[in-house]
Amino acid sequence: MSGQSITDRITAAQHSVTGSAISKTVCKATTHEVMGPKKKHLDYLIHCTNEMNVNIPQLADTLFERTTNNSWVVVFKSLTTTHQLMVYGNERFIQYLASRNTLFNLSNFLDKSGLQGYDMSTFIRRYSRYLNEKAVSYRQVAFDFTKVKRGSDGLMRTMNTEKLLKTIPIIQNQMDVLLDFNVNANELTNGVINAAFMLLFKDAIRLFAAYNEGIINLLEKYFDMKKVQCKDGLDIYKKFLTRMTRISEFLKVAEQVGIDRGDIPDLSQAPSSLLDALEQHLASLEGKKVKESTAASRASTLSSAVSSLANTGISFTKVDEREKQAALEEEQTRLKTLKEQRLKDLQRNPATATTDSSPVSSMGGTINSAPAIDLFSVPSSTNSMSKAANDLLDLQPAFQQSLPLTTNNSWGGFTASPTPQQPQDSRGLNVDFDSVFGNNTNANNLDSSVTSSPNQSMTLNGQQPNRLVSNDLDSSLANLVGNLGMSNDTAKK
């Protein structure tokens, strides 16, 4: 099957409608195409795990939901995507997985659609079991063994005896489940299982490096341990030798499928005389008769063993450094490509060089400047003042009459003196509303305010064009009252 299926497109379209970009990307990363998840989709999901506003449980639940699909391709790619996020994503993701009681329940998964489905279903069950064990290990020790600091001052080298004897068995369990994937070179026949195998290969190298440093620390403390601790330590070391043989076979498969020989570390086994020395020391603590060995011979044997295991650790460190350098070179190449593409776009369309916020834009070699508009400035011309006369608040020109204002108003009982007709553009009649509505006992004060307003408050356009009058509503309402001609008779009716 090649290309996205109709189901993949419909599912992606449904998430596009609902607006869930993460769910859409998960669906695109776990399509029915027989190939590994695309890098652009994985990079987006890894970036999402670093965003604080992203719902990590929702992201994980979406991946779990994809593993319920009947197709082995979708399920396998869902597991691979989850593994990618556990390794390269934010630690919040693996923390959430470790907090769940159950993760992948695929122990009975079987795709009966074809012969390839039968074969891949076996590896899906093994792969899901390893991811479950990886999350359980994180729950037990609160850190990922593949990400711990290594070296003479690393976590496993500086751990005390009690904690070391409890931690190393956890690494052993995770290593056992990883090696149980048990794939041969002729079974890596498609891009999906190849992507999973590469992740397992990197995990195996880092996990065994932490395992190796834990054993070095154990050997350095062995001859100072108590009898019970020595017994547990000897059992741990024997299991370590067995797992070293298995990891060597796993690395041979990696070499057969085309992984660079420089990316595969060299494993140096400790001399067999070390195991005899450890057993004799335990027997002496138990009171058994053993062949006496001098402290110098014991120290020499231990030193050679630690030296050989340390060389193995150095080999693992070189592999990590080579991988980091490759990642940096890849990132630099990508940035260089983006920069060149940007320069080509600018040469093809120079207008894109200017920002949208700039008031000056270059089009066709000429510069067009657009003056900024000040929405809060006061109009400074007579034209703007004449336009302001059409303001909703300026009601005076619409109701002004040439006849004088007479009669006694029934509201205030005053007689307004005739006022000269003013130009339509005049402003600023000061009216005492207390007098108009009868609140002021001296109503005649209105006459003086009205008659004196032309010389005091009214301003012609030719005199002060830049000044805005704030009480034009008061003057308009006063003229409206007068123009309506309300009299005592009208009020009585």
Side-chain angles (χ1 to χ4, degrees), residues 8-171:
D8 296 331
R9 299 181 185 275
I10 293 176
T11 306
Q14 289 175 348
H15 291 298
S16 297
V17 172
T18 58
S20 179
I22 294 179
S23 299
K24 179 181 177 181
T25 307
V26 170
C27 292
K28 286 183 172 293
T30 58
T31 59
H32 288 77
E33 296 176 272
V34 185
M35 57 180 292
K38 293 183 179 179
K39 189 175 185 302
K40 61 180 182 179
H41 299 145
L42 294 176
D43 290 343
Y44 177 80
L45 294 176
I46 291 172
H47 174 72
C48 288
T49 61
N50 294 312
E51 296 293 332
M52 297 306 297
N53 59 342
V54 171
N55 191 340
I56 296 297
Q58 180 182 1
L59 172 59
D61 290 341
T62 306
L63 289 169
F64 293 147
E65 182 182 356
R66 296 295 286 174
T67 59
T68 60
N69 198 286
N70 294 326
S71 172
W72 70 268
V73 181
V74 176
V75 177
F76 218 149
K77 292 173 76 171
S78 301
L79 296 176
T80 306
T81 303
T82 305
H83 195 177
Q84 282 274 358
L85 297 182
M86 294 174 74
V87 176
Y88 300 106
N90 192 282
E91 196 171 4
R92 294 188 304 148
F93 185 79
I94 191 173
Q95 284 176 351
Y96 172 73
L97 296 184
S99 66
R100 291 175 61 104
N101 293 328
T102 57
L103 294 179
F104 301 106
N105 187 16
L106 299 173
S107 57
N108 297 321
F109 177 80
L110 182 62
D111 185 352
K112 301 179 181 179
S113 60
L115 181 61
Q116 192 177 26
Y118 277 96
D119 295 336
M120 293 297 108
S121 296
T122 302
F123 296 108
I124 287 176
R125 293 192 294 269
R126 297 172 182 174
Y127 193 26
S128 63
R129 185 165 167 257
Y130 169 71
L131 295 181
N132 290 342
E133 186 64 30
K134 185 178 178 71
V136 170
S137 298
Y138 188 93
R139 183 192 308 165
Q140 292 175 334
V141 297
F143 59 83
D144 189 354
F145 289 112
T146 62
K147 298 180 181 180
V148 296
K149 182 180 178 181
R150 297 199 294 269
S152 59
D153 58 343
L155 179 65
M156 300 301 298
R157 291 289 293 271
T158 58
M159 194 174 291
N160 58 49
T161 304
E162 291 77 11
K163 190 173 182 181
L164 184 66
L165 292 175
K166 294 179 181 179
T167 304
I168 292 181
I170 299 175
I171 302 180

Side-chain angles (χ1 to χ4, degrees), residues 200-215:
L200 290 173
F201 168 73
K202 294 178 180 179
D203 265 18
I205 291 177
R206 296 165 182 164
L207 188 62
F208 191 81
Y211 191 13
N212 184 72
E213 291 195 347
I215 294 298

Side-chain angles (χ1 to χ4, degrees), residues 193-297:
I193 192 173
N194 289 343
F197 179 77
M198 285 302 300
L199 291 173
L200 290 173
F201 168 73
K202 294 178 180 179
D203 265 18
I205 291 177
R206 296 165 182 164
L207 188 62
F208 191 81
Y211 191 13
N212 184 72
E213 291 195 347
I215 294 298
I216 293 175
N217 190 12
L218 177 67
L219 293 177
E220 291 175 344
K221 293 181 169 62
Y222 182 81
F223 293 100
D224 297 327
M225 293 180 182
K226 300 176 182 179
K227 182 175 67 174
V228 177
Q229 294 176 339
C230 285
K231 187 175 182 180
D232 294 338
L234 181 60
D235 184 59
I236 289 174
Y237 181 72
K238 289 180 179 179
K239 292 180 179 179
F240 172 76
L241 296 178
T242 304
R243 285 159 183 77
M244 181 171 281
T245 304
R246 294 186 64 189
I247 193 67
S248 299
E249 296 174 355
F250 184 85
L251 296 180
K252 287 180 182 179
V253 175
E255 187 177 357
Q256 292 174 3
V257 297
I259 296 178
D260 190 5
R261 188 68 185 87
D263 295 335
I264 300 176
D266 297 325
L267 301 182
S268 301
Q269 292 188 354
S272 57
S273 59
L274 176 62
L275 180 59
D276 296 335
L278 298 178
E279 290 177 345
Q280 290 178 7
H281 178 71
L282 178 60
S284 65
L285 292 177
E286 292 176 348
K288 299 179 180 178
K289 291 183 179 181
V290 294
K291 181 174 66 173
E292 301 228 349
S293 60
T294 62
S297 62

Side-chain angles (χ1 to χ4, degrees), residues 341-361:
Q341 184 64 29
R342 178 62 177 168
L343 291 176
K344 290 180 181 179
D345 294 340
L346 292 178
Q347 292 175 357
R348 191 181 302 111
N349 188 10
T352 59
T354 59
T355 59
D356 295 337
S357 59
S358 175
V360 180
S361 61

